[in-house]
Amino acid sequence: MSMSFQGLTLCVKTFGCQMNKHDSERVLGTLEALGATPVDSFEEADMVVFLTCCVREAADTRLYGQVATMRTLPLRPDSPLAKRLIAIGGCIGQRDGRKLVDAMPHVDVVFGTHNLHALPSLLQAALDTGSSQVEVRDASASFPTDLPTDREQPWAAWLPITIGCNNFCSYCIVPYVRGREKSRPLEDIVSEAEGYVAEGVKEITLLGQNVNSYGRDLYGSPRFVDVLDAVAHTGIERIRFATSHPKDLSDEVIERFATLPSLMPALHLPVQSGSDRILKAMNRRYDAARYLDLVRKLREAKGDIALSTDIIVGFPGETEEDFMDTYRLVEAVGYHQVFTFIYSKREGTPAASMPDDTPREVIQGRFDRLVELVQRQAFEANQTERGRVVPVLVEGASKRDSSLLSGRSPKNQTVHAPVPAGCSAADLQGRIVDVRIDDAKTWYLQGSLA
Ligand code: 5AD
Ligand code: SF4
């Protein structure tokens, strides 16, 4: 089949995690290479590709809602198509497959989390035949990353090192839709990283549902720490990684925060709950004491490492006492950022059949108290930056005020500073500049170029 999307416009809409954002860069890169032109809105788009998430119900509902509205959205006047092409991929594509087309017959293509490669041919077949194409396969042997990418930011790259997850946390649907964990060969990771360095990329984020268990399916070797060392060896300026499961965070990896200058002093370490009883019911396989011990070791290695976490409020059977354990753990750690989620029941997971009788208002009340604490602590954590000079990777002009540039500190804080005279934010994009911090808010730091 010859494939061309010349003359067609394309909009990719992403829901959910970084893995989906990364997949959407691959989709854009692949379809642009075949002639498609990216556009920002559904209205302008001849083809819309949704990369979906089903971790929580809200994203699920939004996807179905948005796809439903596509049915009545007119095509742009000069579109060569008679009907807008709609493709759904990612976790919902994988989970629901043909059911999506049954529920919404105007959907043209459904593809799974392991079928990114097949998208162009599925779209072409839908164009040629006018009938819906569904391809949802079980985890494939190949690692679907040898596709071109169109990166949102040319100076920062996401680099998947594992896909899938073996952990089966009792609330989580990911292992069912993303399949078992597969590690990408170290040589592939290194050659992709080398390619980025050669292109002038400044920051690489190693990605996986649980990067810490990298290599377990490769006869136990190499391990994640070897990936870190090898990627650092390419000479990339900044390395980050996400996500880490606390049960698999090794002492060697912790030590790298002290010894690898390119490993940024920030770590996302989801705790989910501070109650040992709930952690057990979640099948997390650590307790609060062990988590706090990791925090201690991390801070011993790197004094002011910025920690962030995920917390689920209202897991089935969570009592006020369980919640207070979480609250106190958050208080004790002092996170830079906490992503708080209200528990969302996902059919097919073990937690979905656990007794769950906490009233919604009680859960909302706990959530609000936690958010209040988190905001206060984020504000406090940022105050220590006042007066410091921090190297900031410039992302461009601030969205709210174009006279300011916006970028990221090593701790991944957003930093704003006035664009210096005689220069534009665009000139500085992708460069690392020193900023003297003179003000610190909850969600960003403010300063001026040093
Ligand atoms: N309900 C609420 N939050 C969830 N997460 C995963 N599954 C659920 C669920 N069923 C959260 C976890 C995870 C983050 C990506 O999403 O906190 O770390
Ligand atoms: Fe879900 Fe747990 Fe795997 Fe994370 S580690 S993707 S929460 S099962």
Side-chain angles (χ1 to χ4, degrees):
M1 177 174 15
S2 83
M3 282 188 287
S4 169
F5 301 100
Q6 207 70 46
L8 297 182
T9 54
L10 165 72
C11 178
V12 179
K13 170 85 188 167
T14 315
F15 295 84
C17 66
Q18 279 168 335
M19 199 61 96
N20 274 340
K21 289 190 196 146
H22 174 73
D23 282 352
S24 66
E25 292 183 342
R26 302 261 179 204
V27 166
L28 270 172
T30 307
L31 295 177
E32 277 177 63
L34 294 169
T37 308
V39 289
D40 292 329
S41 71
F42 293 150
E43 284 81 3
E44 300 164 275
D46 301 321
M47 304 187 282
V48 177
V49 178
F50 290 94
L51 283 156
T52 62
C53 171
C54 57
V55 167
R56 285 171 297 274
E57 198 179 357
D60 221 314
T61 315
R62 247 175 60 221
L63 181 265
Y64 273 82
Q66 289 204 3
V67 175
T69 62
M70 292 281 118
R71 204 159 40 89
T72 49
L73 189 72
L75 274 170
R76 66 187 171 108
D78 44 355
S79 173
L81 299 185
K83 173 201 171 297
R84 180 180 285 106
L85 270 183
I86 297 170
I88 304 179
C91 294
I92 297 181
Q94 182 75 31
R95 186 195 61 189
D96 294 353
R98 177 149 292 282
K99 277 197 281 178
L100 280 161
V101 181
D102 295 341
M104 299 181 290
H106 61 298
V107 171
D108 302 284
V109 170
V110 178
F111 60 107
T113 49
H114 297 276
N115 306 92
L116 227 50
H117 271 108
L119 179 62
S121 57
L122 294 171
L123 284 169
Q124 188 68 51
L127 274 176
D128 294 347
T129 65
S131 67
S132 301
Q133 310 289 318
V134 177
E135 189 163 316
V136 176
R137 233 187 282 130
D138 282 350
S140 69
S142 71
F143 207 100
T145 51
D146 50 338
L147 297 171
T149 56
D150 173 1
R151 291 193 303 282
E152 194 178 325
Q153 299 168 339
W155 55 88
W158 284 315
L159 204 169
I161 66 164
T162 66
I163 48 170
C165 182
N166 292 347
N167 290 309
F168 292 95
C169 301
S170 64
Y171 50 81
C172 185
I173 196 148
V174 168
Y176 305 91
V177 290
R178 293 257 170 194
R180 292 301 75 73
E181 182 176 284
K182 279 210 185 67
S183 302
R184 190 170 174 199
L186 185 56
E187 312 82 77
D188 288 10
I189 297 172
V190 171
S191 73
E192 189 168 337
E194 283 169 348
Y196 290 141
V197 173
E199 277 177 47
V201 167
K202 296 285 171 52
E203 178 174 297
I204 289 178
T205 303
L206 304 172
L207 276 188
Q209 306 297 343
N210 176 17
V211 291
N212 301 92
S213 55
Y214 174 88
R216 225 164 261 172
D217 55 326
L218 306 172
Y219 308 99
S221 162
R223 296 161 309 148
F224 180 54
V225 70
D226 303 314
V227 178
L228 274 181
D229 288 345
V231 172
H233 195 72
T234 64
I236 188 77
E237 288 211 38
R238 292 183 165 196
I239 303 174
R240 302 182 189 280
F241 58 86
T243 292
S244 286
H245 195 307
K247 77 177 168 59
D248 298 314
L249 181 63
S250 70
D251 288 347
E252 290 78 15
V253 169
I254 292 177
E255 185 209 300
R256 293 307 187 271
F257 282 102
T259 56
L260 288 181
S262 53
L263 182 58
M264 292 292 100
L267 177 66
H268 186 62
L269 194 62
V271 67
Q272 313 297 358
S273 170
S275 153
D276 290 345
R277 202 179 68 81
I278 295 292
L279 285 169
K280 199 161 182 8
M282 288 176 162
N283 189 31
R284 291 289 290 178
R285 288 176 279 168
Y286 54 82
D287 58 16
R290 182 148 160 238
Y291 184 91
L292 290 170
D293 200 44
L294 288 175
V295 170
R296 180 188 57 76
K297 284 195 220 165
L298 282 160
R299 288 192 167 141
E300 257 168 40
K302 189 81 191 168
D304 69 342
I305 191 166
L307 297 174
S308 56
T309 202
D310 292 344
I311 288 182
I312 298 177
V313 177
F315 184 82
E318 181 189 78
T319 63
E320 175 63 19
E321 194 41 47
D322 293 320
F323 171 73
M324 282 312 295
D325 285 343
T326 301
Y327 191 94
R328 282 187 289 262
L329 181 139
V330 171
E331 226 169 9
V333 174
Y335 291 102
H336 270 73
Q337 199 173 13
V338 179
F339 298 90
T340 40
F341 305 105
I342 288 184
Y343 169 73
S344 169
K345 179 174 173 172
R346 306 281 63 202
E347 283 315 327
T349 62
S353 49
M354 295 179 189
D356 184 7
D357 50 13
T358 317
R360 180 82 208 180
E361 324 74 81
V362 172
I363 294 173
Q364 187 65 47
R366 289 178 192 159
F367 181 85
D368 294 345
R369 279 144 72 199
L370 189 60
V371 167
E372 192 271 328
L373 169 67
V374 162
Q375 293 192 355
R376 188 152 39 88
Q377 286 195 315
F379 181 80
E380 280 161 18
N382 280 343
Q383 297 314 306
T384 58
E385 306 299 327
R386 283 171 180 273
R388 287 192 185 158
V389 173
V390 299
V392 173
L393 175 55
V394 178
E395 293 180 342
S398 154
K399 287 202 187 75
R400 286 182 300 122
D401 179 347
S402 61
S403 71
L404 294 177
L405 53 83
S406 178
R408 294 284 171 160
S409 73
K411 293 182 193 167
N412 216 16
Q413 295 141 307
T414 298
V415 181
H416 296 315
V419 178
C423 157
S424 75
D427 298 335
L428 294 172
Q429 256 178 9
R431 287 183 36 198
I432 295 176
V433 298
D434 281 339
V435 174
R436 185 179 304 282
I437 304 300
D438 44 47
D439 200 3
K441 311 279 195 211
T442 306
W443 303 127
Y444 66 95
L445 307 173
Q446 178 102 33
S448 50
L449 260 58

